[in-house]
């Protein structure tokens, strides 16, 4: 039996391709969402089903075809076709692509879409705000628990209220509505559940290059301790960051590690924990200097300051004030599989870290000795930096 998977575009029959229209006309039975079936009630048996398993089960009970399955938008763009293909492998399946909401919306805005970052917040958990923060142009499907105004509100809360946003609802229908403004302006609007959004961010947060290790002089420092460039680059490699990670930087100092983590995790969130007022002021300035809207300052002393933070994926311990064991206990209570990297410069801290990191999964200890050069007239002298011990490992969670 033949089954057509038909991309219906925005839903208005005017957005159908000629091939899709001919396939619909050839099918006595059509299956799909009620909205998509409405124009075809006359002359067809219409079966309102959405879930792939339900559609496949219904088709399995039919003796004659062809059957047309109507799918919104394009069959290759966040479509139900993906789940139907493996369930219909015993049938003769012809897939007919349709006009996607991305192509239609950008055409209505008079712009291109080949340089757009595409994400979906419809029925799934996704840090769309992080995507918008780190890309010049981002297209998002919204719906369910995350509506267009929710994204605009979240952008505003993260300091991105001036990002230019266009929202489209009921695309292709007579009551189509397209609104453009700043995220802060559109946060006050109300949009239909299934809307699309195009955000244009003129100054996305981007790494100046693909590797860690920003030069020390890029940061404001004052008299506050800072993890130096070479040690910082190795620490970031040991952290093994992913774009979506939640990161704690305990004893953040000037925030050099916090900033680099924020740049490496644009879809995640970085919490810089620091107890000294002077350091917090520098942290705030360095955050603004690099435009890290996903970096949050947490005044206070660990472990107390950690207890209300979300569970971390990665933790950097730059300073523990003698409370390393208590801090690690909080970390692994929040996330038994968290990965932790710790630097130490005193023998006492080295001894404590060696004891506490030894039981961790993949426990590792290295010593870093960096010698820089400095000018002395027309000569260059070697200028040895303090040796640093670096410990890393992961909790032994059940997963």
């Amino acid at each position: 039996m033949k089954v057509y998977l038909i991309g219906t575009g925005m839903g208005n029959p005017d957005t159908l391709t000629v091939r899709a229209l001919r396939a619909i006309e050839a099918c006595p039975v059509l299956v799909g969402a009620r909205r998509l079936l409405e124009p075809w009630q006359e002359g067809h048996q219409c079966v309102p089903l959405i879930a792939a398993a339900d559609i496949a089960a219904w088709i399995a009970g039919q003796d004659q075809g062809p059957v047309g399955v109507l799918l919104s938008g394009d069959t290759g763009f966040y479509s139900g076709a993906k789940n139907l293909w493996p369930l219909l492998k015993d049938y003769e399946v012809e897939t007919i692509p349709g006009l996607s909401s991305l192509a239609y919306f950008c055409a209505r805005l008079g712009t291109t879409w080949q340089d757009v970052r595409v994400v979906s917040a419809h029925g799934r958990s996704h840090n769309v705000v992080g995507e918008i923060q780190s890309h010049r142009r981002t297209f998002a499907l919204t719906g369910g628990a995350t509506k267009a105004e929710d994204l605009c509100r979240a952008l505003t809360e993260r300091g991105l209220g001036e990002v230019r946003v266009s929202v489209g609802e009921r695309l292709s229908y007579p009551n189509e509505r397209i609104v453009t403004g700043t995220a802060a302006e559109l946060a006050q609007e109300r949009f239909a559940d299934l809307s699309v959004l195009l955000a244009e961010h003129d100054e996305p947060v981007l790494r100046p290059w693909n590797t860690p290790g920003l030069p020390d002089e890029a940061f404001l420092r004052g008299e506050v301790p800072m993890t130096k460039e070479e040690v910082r680059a190795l620490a970031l490699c040991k952290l093994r960051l992913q774009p979506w990670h939640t990161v704690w930087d305990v004893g953040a100092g000037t925030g050099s590690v916090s900033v680099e983590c924020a740049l490496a995790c644009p879809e995640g969130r970085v919490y810089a924990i620091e107890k000294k007022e002077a350091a917090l002021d520098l942290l705030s300035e360095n955050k603004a200097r690099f435009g890290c809207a996903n970096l949050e300052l947490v005044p206070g002393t660990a472990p107390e300051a950690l207890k209300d933070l979300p569970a971390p994926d990665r933790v950097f311990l730059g300073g523990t004030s003698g409370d390393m064991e208590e801090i690690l206990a909080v970390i692994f209570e929040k996330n038994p599989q968290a990965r932790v990297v710790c630097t130490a410069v005193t023998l006492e801290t080295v001894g404590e870290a060696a004891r506490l990191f030894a039981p961790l999964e993949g426990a590792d200890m290295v010593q870093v000795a960096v010698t820089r050069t400095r000018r002395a007239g027309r000569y260059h002298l070697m200028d040895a930096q303090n040796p640093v011990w670096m410990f890393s490992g992961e909790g032994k969670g059940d997963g």
Side-chain angles (χ1 to χ4, degrees):
M1 186 173 71
K2 185 159 188 173
V3 177
Y4 291 97
L5 301 185
I6 305 168
T8 61
M10 303 303 95
N12 186 327
D14 288 347
T15 65
L16 282 169
T17 65
V18 173
R19 181 73 188 106
L21 183 59
R22 287 175 179 168
I24 290 174
E25 291 172 348
C27 294
V29 181
L30 299 175
V31 184
R34 292 184 185 278
R35 175 178 69 88
L36 303 180
L37 294 172
E38 283 177 2
W40 313 107
Q41 298 292 325
E42 191 173 327
H44 299 273
Q45 179 189 351
C46 292
V47 182
L49 294 172
I50 296 177
D54 294 341
I55 294 173
W58 187 88
I59 290 174
Q62 305 309 302
D63 296 325
Q64 294 183 344
V67 173
V69 180
L70 304 187
L71 301 162
S72 62
D74 176 56
T75 52
F77 187 73
Y78 293 103
S79 170
K82 179 180 178 181
N83 293 327
L84 280 168
W85 281 320
L87 299 178
L88 300 177
K89 59 185 178 182
D90 293 331
Y91 298 89
E92 180 188 353
V93 176
E94 181 176 341
T95 303
I96 302 172
L99 182 62
S100 72
S101 57
L102 170 60
Y104 179 93
F105 190 48
C106 287
R108 293 287 285 116
L109 293 173
T111 188
T112 61
W113 55 267
Q114 72 265 15
D115 57 343
V116 169
R117 171 73 170 172
V118 178
V119 296
S120 175
H122 177 220
R124 65 187 68 209
S125 175
H126 199 294
N127 186 0
V128 179
V129 173
E131 299 277 14
I132 293 171
Q133 177 184 317
S134 56
H135 293 87
R136 294 191 181 278
R137 307 180 78 216
T138 305
F139 174 89
L141 296 167
T142 70
T146 305
K147 296 181 173 59
E149 62 265 29
D150 298 327
L151 291 179
C152 291
R153 195 175 303 117
L155 284 167
T156 304
E157 290 171 354
R158 194 177 281 197
L160 299 171
E162 293 306 309
V163 169
R164 183 176 175 81
V165 175
S166 297
V167 178
E169 58 184 9
R170 299 184 293 273
L171 296 180
S172 82
Y173 290 98
N175 59 346
E176 172 183 282
R177 179 185 178 220
I178 296 176
V179 181
T180 298
T182 66
E185 291 168 346
L186 299 194
Q188 310 304 316
E189 295 274 348
R190 292 294 178 269
F191 296 100
D193 187 49
L194 297 178
S195 297
V196 298
L197 177 151
L198 179 68
E200 298 179 281
H201 188 191
D202 291 335
E203 298 181 355
V205 176
L206 303 170
R207 275 187 177 277
W209 46 78
N210 287 332
T211 57
L214 291 169
D216 290 344
E217 56 268 22
F219 298 93
L220 299 173
R221 181 181 177 187
E223 300 299 320
V224 177
M226 180 174 75
T227 303
K228 301 291 182 58
E229 176 182 342
E230 294 82 7
V231 174
R232 186 179 350 112
L234 181 57
L236 289 160
C237 289
K238 293 286 186 181
L239 280 169
R240 300 173 186 171
L241 299 168
Q242 295 287 358
W244 57 86
H245 277 161
T246 296
V247 184
W248 294 356
D249 180 6
V250 181
T254 60
S256 64
V257 172
S258 300
V259 165
E260 293 239 37
C261 288
L263 294 174
C265 304
E267 302 166 33
R269 198 82 171 170
V270 178
Y271 296 87
I273 300 93
E274 178 55 54
K275 63 182 180 179
K276 296 179 180 177
E277 195 68 34
L280 286 166
D281 291 341
L282 278 173
L283 258 166
S284 182
E285 291 185 57
N286 281 321
K287 170 185 173 178
R289 191 182 185 95
F290 289 90
C292 297
N294 60 332
L295 171 56
E296 183 171 327
L297 277 56
V298 182
T301 302
E304 289 77 13
L306 308 176
K307 292 179 180 177
D308 293 330
L309 297 182
D313 300 293
R314 300 290 187 265
V315 180
F316 177 71
L317 300 180
T320 59
S321 301
D323 295 320
M324 187 183 300
E325 187 164 7
E326 292 80 1
I327 291 171
L328 288 172
V330 173
I331 292 168
F332 293 126
E333 180 182 356
K334 293 268 191 177
N335 179 7
Q337 295 178 305
R339 180 169 180 80
V340 184
V341 174
C342 170
T343 54
V345 295
T346 69
L347 293 177
E348 289 75 14
T349 307
V350 169
E352 184 182 28
R355 175 177 66 85
L356 295 174
F357 274 74
L360 299 185
E361 193 75 37
D364 181 47
M365 179 179 76
V366 297
Q367 193 224 19
V368 183
V370 176
T371 301
R372 294 179 173 178
T373 59
R374 59 181 174 85
R375 280 186 175 275
R378 61 192 182 94
Y379 297 98
H380 288 81
L381 299 178
M382 306 304 289
D383 189 8
Q385 308 295 301
N386 287 331
V388 178
W389 282 263
M390 191 174 299
F391 299 82
S392 59
E394 300 179 8
K396 297 181 178 180
D398 296 334

